[in-house]
Amino acid sequence: LAGVTLGTAIGVLPGLGPALTIALLLPITFKVDPTAAFILFAGIYYGAMYGGSTTSILLNTPGESATIVTALEGNKMARAGRGGAALSTSAIGSFVAGTIGTLGITFLAPVVVDLALAFGPADYFALMVLAFVTVSAVLGSSAIRGLTALFIGLILGFVGVDLQTGQPRFTFGVLELLDGINVIVVAVGLFAVGETLYVASRYRYGRDEIVPLKGSIWMTREEWARSWKPWLRGTAIGFPIGALPAGGAEIPTFLSYYTEKKLSKYPEEFGKGAIEGVAGPEAANNASAAGVLVPMLTLGLPTSATAAIMLSAFTSYGINPGPLLFQTQANLVWGLIASLFIGN
């Protein structure tokens, strides 16, 4: 209860992620039973993955890098008076994806790990090319603008120490740039700062406009019909990519958005507030959070910053995550998995 509540609040606040929160709470490992500590950490992780959608939809300000895509359609829906439906499809999609993802951890962990281990350099290269093509295709009607934005993003991504050679890149002698440029900082800069400046520039232009809700605060029958397939497709995309090293939540959310844009019966609504553009990516980011826990528990392999910090908590308890964890720490693993269902 404490983990999910705190995680949801952290997800809502831009720039604060689950990794930072868990890092700040690591000292509790000296006093708290390991099962209780990991249930708290997992609750924070799941809560943060959901919480980021609230500000993305209502304020056009992603609380998490995984909810950048949600802002594209979710905020347009809110401005059209359908913020309630956008929040509903986000919440239900997160629940559906989180539940299926947790079932995936329970039953598919060995299979997914075998698949992840089978990925070689060529497969990772193909996955990255697919992600790049997807990102450039998603962002607007102009491929040139999409590719330009992609290359600017790549240049920002290159800043910092190269993980392969240990050489600094594009740091220009500035020590602070050795850590690289955090994707959350970029996302908050692009969305939140822009939105803040826009609101500030309209300060003397009259009273704030409150967008009235149109129709029911709940999803309509048509919105349910348009959401359930994106929830399932988003889960199918998010879970396996989350289990891959360097998969993360950003790639599956963009892939899900692109897939829904291609498969939708209402492609003209994309960019103006299509509910599929909220349902799919939200399911993908929650499913990827479940996917991240698979290699961490079964191989001791962290595939995200949050998983890496949780791994350091395992070592502080003297527990070695890996293939033997399910035998040596069965109470911890199955207690953690059961807590995911309840937290979700």
Side-chain angles (χ1 to χ4, degrees), residues 1-343:
L1 180 63
V4 171
T5 307
L6 178 60
T8 305
I10 291 299
V12 167
L13 295 170
L16 291 177
L20 176 63
T21 310
I22 293 170
L24 290 171
L25 289 172
L26 278 180
I28 70 166
T29 57
F30 295 109
K31 290 280 184 184
V32 178
D33 170 69
T35 307
F38 284 109
I39 286 173
L40 175 70
F41 294 161
I44 290 169
Y45 192 22
Y46 263 39
M49 280 296 164
Y50 163 65
S53 64
T54 306
T55 44
S56 290
I57 291 167
L58 297 181
L59 300 176
N60 199 28
T61 308
E64 268 293 300
S65 58
T67 59
I68 293 169
V69 184
T70 308
L72 298 177
E73 299 298 328
N75 188 247
K76 294 284 196 306
M77 284 185 69
R79 287 178 183 275
R82 296 300 295 147
L87 289 169
S88 296
T89 196
S90 162
I92 300 165
S94 297
F95 173 74
V96 169
T99 303
I100 296 172
T102 309
L103 285 169
I105 299 174
T106 311
F107 297 107
L108 298 177
V111 180
V112 174
V113 168
D114 288 341
L115 180 69
L117 288 175
F119 260 61
D123 305 301
Y124 279 114
F125 179 76
L127 179 66
M128 289 300 133
V129 170
L130 176 65
F132 290 161
V133 170
T134 302
V135 170
S136 61
V138 160
L139 299 176
S141 55
S142 169
I144 292 173
R145 275 186 304 199
L147 288 168
T148 305
L150 172 66
F151 281 108
I152 292 170
L154 278 173
I155 291 165
L156 292 175
F158 279 136
V159 174
V161 176
D162 178 30
L163 295 176
Q164 305 298 321
T165 62
Q167 296 297 312
R169 299 182 300 200
F170 299 122
T171 56
F172 306 107
V174 179
L175 288 176
E176 286 80 4
L177 289 178
L178 289 171
D179 284 336
I181 298 172
N182 192 316
V183 67
I184 297 175
V185 174
V186 176
V188 171
L190 281 171
F191 287 85
V193 175
E195 191 73 10
T196 305
L197 291 174
Y198 176 79
V199 171
S201 72
R202 296 290 181 275
Y203 175 63
R204 298 194 185 279
Y205 279 74
R207 296 171 60 189
D208 287 342
E209 181 198 356
I210 297 174
V211 180
L213 287 168
K214 290 183 182 173
S216 168
I217 196 168
W218 301 105
M219 291 164 65
T220 63
R221 188 186 292 272
E222 184 199 357
E223 285 166 340
W224 273 96
R226 288 175 60 178
S227 292
W228 70 271
K229 286 181 182 175
W231 292 335
L232 297 178
R233 283 193 289 260
T235 305
I237 292 169
F239 184 73
I241 293 180
L244 293 172
E250 293 82 6
I251 292 174
T253 52
F254 271 103
L255 282 175
S256 173
Y257 183 83
Y258 184 63
T259 304
E260 296 311 323
K261 193 174 180 181
K262 283 291 180 189
L263 296 177
S264 175
K265 293 177 183 175
Y266 309 94
E268 71 283 353
E269 286 189 22
F270 277 78
K272 298 173 186 172
I275 196 165
E276 295 93 337
V278 179
E282 273 303 298
N285 90 45
N286 277 266
S288 72
V292 161
L293 296 177
V294 173
M296 187 190 80
L297 293 173
T298 54
L299 291 175
L301 186 69
T303 61
S304 74
T306 309
I309 293 166
M310 288 174 77
L311 204 64
S312 68
F314 272 111
T315 56
S316 70
Y317 280 116
I319 299 168
N320 291 319
L324 295 177
L325 185 68
F326 280 74
Q327 272 96 30
T328 58
Q329 297 286 338
N331 286 349
L332 187 154
V333 173
W334 294 112
L336 177 63
I337 290 171
S339 81
L340 293 177
F341 284 107
I342 298 165

